[in-house]
Amino acid sequence: MSRLLYVEGTVDRTCTQSHITYSFHIPQPTETIRIHFSYTPKLLEDQEQARGIIEESMCKYGYDEPGHSSDLWKKYIPLQNLLTLSVDDSLRHRGNAHRPEMQQEHWLGSSAASPGFLAGDNPAGMWRITVSLHAVVTETLAYQIHVLGEEAAYA
């Protein structure tokens, strides 16, 4: 098993609704690509910060005026960070992992792949992993991506 990519990053709230793309090279076709993705923390524990974010969003999207309904904001707690992954091989888009879990493992193989990804050959060339930062509600958030290539037993 060979390491193809390992990255760590830290983002903050200003990164919400943005994307970070990493490229990595696979020198030869690989039987299975394994991706370990994690981030922390998951929840915004500070209730006053959560209230501010929720009321601002409610106002922005026309749900309610801030402070109009004193407890309506509680309907949306706990606020959670949400990061998702998408993968492109050197030839095509291979899929997305839109999951809320903080720890995720995915694989792409010739005959099977994790839900959300397309099975198929894993060609040599430049691949890309994009982290979509749908919601960063905590002041900072740390993430890791670890990509491993696994050769076929007969290779």
Side-chain angles (χ1 to χ4, degrees):
M1 192 171 294
S2 60
R3 177 185 279 191
L4 300 171
L5 174 73
Y6 179 79
V7 294
E8 296 178 344
T10 301
V11 295
D12 62 29
R13 288 181 185 153
T14 64
C15 299
T16 292
Q17 298 182 347
S18 67
H19 308 277
I20 301 171
T21 300
Y22 296 97
S23 297
F24 59 97
H25 185 256
I26 295 181
Q28 60 187 11
T30 302
E31 179 64 23
T32 303
I33 302 293
R34 296 196 179 279
I35 302 167
H36 303 272
F37 174 57
S38 63
Y39 63 91
T40 191
K42 181 64 179 171
L43 301 177
L44 174 59
E45 302 289 344
D46 185 312
Q47 295 290 304
E48 283 307 309
Q49 288 183 8
R51 181 180 183 161
I53 292 170
I54 292 168
E55 287 183 344
E56 181 181 324
S57 296
M58 291 173 72
C59 185
K60 180 177 179 181
Y61 295 109
Y63 286 91
D64 198 14
E65 294 296 321
H68 183 257
S69 175
S70 61
D71 290 335
L72 188 57
W73 67 276
K74 292 181 180 176
K75 176 180 171 183
Y76 301 101
I77 56 172
L79 286 185
Q80 302 179 39
N81 291 317
L82 178 60
L83 277 62
T84 63
L85 290 181
S86 63
V87 177
D88 298 277
D89 68 23
S90 60
L91 304 173
R92 63 188 172 144
H93 180 65
R94 295 293 293 270
N96 306 296
H98 285 258
R99 296 169 180 68
E101 292 85 14
M102 294 170 43
Q103 305 258 344
Q104 302 177 23
E105 294 200 21
H106 309 286
W107 75 94
L108 297 98
S110 59
S111 60
S114 299
F117 294 98
L118 298 173
D121 292 337
N122 294 320
M126 292 302 293
W127 285 54
R128 290 188 320 253
I129 288 185
T130 299
V131 180
S132 294
L133 306 152
H134 298 280
V136 179
V137 296
T138 53
E139 290 188 30
T140 61
L141 176 152
Y143 64 90
Q144 294 181 335
I145 303 170
H146 196 182
V147 180
L148 300 169
E150 186 174 300
E151 299 301 321
Y154 55 84

